[in-house]
Amino acid sequence: IKRIGVLTSGGDAPGMNAAIRAVVREGLHLGLEVYGIYDGYAGLHQDRIEKLDRKSVSDVINRGGTFLGSARFPEFKKESVRREAIENLKKHDIDALVVIGGDGSYMGAKKLTEMGFPCIGIPGTIDNDIPGTTYTIGFDTALNTVVDAIDRLRDTSTSHQRISIVEIMGRYCGDLTLGAAVAGGAEFVVIPEKGYNEAELLKQIQAGIDKGKKHAIIAMCEHVTDVNVLAKHIEKETGRETRATILGHLQRGGTPTARDRIMASRMGSYAVKLLIDGEGGRCVGLMNSQMVHHDIIDCIENMKRPFNQELFDLSDSLF
Ligand code: ADP
């Protein structure tokens, strides 16, 4: 292969820029030409493709977001649209594509691979919800952001003997919530992997109050329940002022942590080396501190994410 493309797709995550930079610089280092594709699959379809050089990725390692831009582009599910996208890649003589994104983006990469165009997926999402890897780029930065928010809520909750519910991103993966709960010392953690029983939660909160707890922080993964409604129920049940804080998109932004930059650099470089070795249709990941790669189709269809039971037990025993 001589020319590769790189794009970021789906939800943005801090560290994506560091991953693009690694793909570009490792590619150039190994004698490839590298093309940047703007706004994910949308830009691929609209032929917004530009050659990148070393300088194109100067001063981006420290920046959150993705300078290539990202987009939701549901039209990419249509085979005819993907066919046109492949034509654009061929027009630029691009032989392979690195896709940085979440599981939706992997689906797009998988389908392009099935149509004969080799893609390599790099896991970029704050949710940590991708199979075949124990780590996704952006997770650590988001985790630190959430812990910082919990620390702040704790200060004000303690002063007012208030109960705080913090809604944390993760889609249907509780890793961000669980990590933040342990690091932030939250009293309760609710994650999709463990189910949810409101009556049981209310009982436990009351038990905490009876034991003399001055405040409570409930770390709640998004999509589990309506946190504002829950806040009303808790107030009614306990008589304690209760507030819900939905952290929302602020979890996606910010300067990437060193861990995210290093991970993004390793994954970006590894993806390029795989392409040089003639591998296509793979996704890269981290397992036992080592870079690994899997068949992207097998990864999406068959692999399961492991659940960190030890951390969950810890959140329970340290409460
Ligand atoms: P994420 O990659 O963060 O999970 P999305 O689920 O929005 O984000 O996916 C990003 C993009 O990937 C979509 O907007 C679409 O262009 C593409 N995509 C998602 N699912 C598919 C699919 N089944 N087939 C082809 N392309 C897809």
Side-chain angles (χ1 to χ4, degrees):
I1 68 164
K2 289 199 173 59
R3 290 184 174 190
I4 61 171
V6 57
L7 62 80
T8 49
S9 164
D12 65 319
M16 279 183 163
N17 279 327
I20 300 165
R21 173 181 179 272
V23 170
V24 172
R25 296 236 169 129
E26 188 67 78
L28 295 173
H29 179 68
L30 296 173
L32 301 177
E33 285 181 21
V34 186
Y35 285 73
I37 295 143
Y38 290 90
D39 296 329
Y41 294 124
L44 185 57
H45 186 242
Q46 293 152 9
D47 195 19
R48 288 190 285 121
I49 300 177
E50 233 171 59
K51 192 170 173 184
L52 301 176
D53 58 22
R54 254 192 116 268
K55 261 179 74 184
S56 315
V57 290
S58 296
D59 296 322
V60 302
I61 195 164
N62 54 320
R63 277 168 37 204
T66 155
F67 82 91
L68 285 178
S70 187
R72 308 265 182 205
F73 185 58
E75 292 85 344
F76 209 66
K77 290 179 185 164
K78 285 194 216 138
E79 186 170 346
S80 58
V81 171
R82 293 196 300 276
R83 181 81 46 212
E84 285 161 12
I86 291 176
E87 286 311 310
N88 288 336
L89 287 162
K90 289 198 173 142
K91 211 162 65 191
H92 294 273
D93 285 328
I94 295 170
D95 314 301
L97 186 63
V98 177
V99 172
I100 306 164
D103 57 353
S105 307
Y106 270 35
M107 279 304 288
K110 165 186 164 237
K111 292 198 172 157
L112 287 178
T113 301
E114 284 170 340
M115 290 167 73
F117 196 90
C119 294
I120 298 239
I122 294 181
T125 163
I126 65 165
D127 300 333
N128 214 34
D129 62 348
I130 303 203
T133 184
T134 52
Y135 192 80
T136 63
I137 296 164
F139 179 74
D140 188 59
T141 306
L143 182 57
N144 281 283
T145 303
V146 176
V147 171
D148 182 58
I150 291 178
D151 288 348
R152 287 162 197 261
L153 283 168
R154 175 191 295 282
D155 291 345
T156 164
S157 298
T158 315
S159 309
H160 290 270
Q161 306 218 351
R162 192 189 287 141
I163 295 171
S164 281
I165 309 165
V166 195
E167 187 187 282
I168 299 162
M169 279 184 167
R171 292 221 277 195
Y172 301 97
C173 172
D175 285 12
L176 193 56
T177 304
L178 183 54
V182 171
E187 278 73 15
F188 303 100
V189 53
V190 183
I191 51 175
E193 291 88 341
K194 289 289 167 184
Y196 173 58
N197 179 336
E198 186 181 294
E200 184 57 33
L201 178 65
L202 290 173
K203 226 166 74 189
Q204 287 175 14
I205 294 169
Q206 188 59 54
I209 292 171
D210 294 343
K211 274 195 276 181
K213 280 202 82 80
K214 290 212 176 354
H215 71 265
I217 292 172
I218 302 154
M220 171 79 73
C221 188
E222 65 179 340
H223 302 312
V224 171
T225 191
D226 183 324
V227 285
N228 287 305
V229 172
L230 174 64
K232 290 207 178 80
H233 291 175
I234 295 174
E235 267 191 3
K236 200 164 150 232
E237 191 76 15
T238 65
R240 286 281 177 91
E241 187 189 359
T242 305
R243 294 280 175 84
T245 304
I246 297 170
L247 297 179
H249 276 115
L250 66 83
Q251 296 164 95
R252 289 253 190 93
T255 304
T257 60
R259 178 165 162 78
D260 272 328
R261 297 183 202 189
I262 292 170
M263 212 53 84
S265 300
R266 288 176 72 189
M267 287 179 173
S269 156
Y270 187 69
V272 172
K273 287 178 180 158
L274 285 177
L275 284 173
I276 298 232
D277 288 347
E279 299 276 2
R282 313 294 292 179
C283 54
V284 312
L286 182 79
M287 293 266 184
N288 303 317
S289 312
Q290 300 289 318
M291 288 290 123
V292 293
H293 60 99
H294 311 283
D295 183 275
I296 196 164
I297 299 168
D298 185 42
C299 171
I300 292 182
E301 289 180 354
N302 306 318
M303 296 179 86
K304 295 262 177 299
R305 293 193 51 270
F307 178 70
N308 195 338
Q309 184 64 40
E310 187 211 327
L311 202 59
F312 184 75
D313 292 342
L314 195 60
S315 77
D316 199 39
S317 58
L318 298 188
F319 145 58

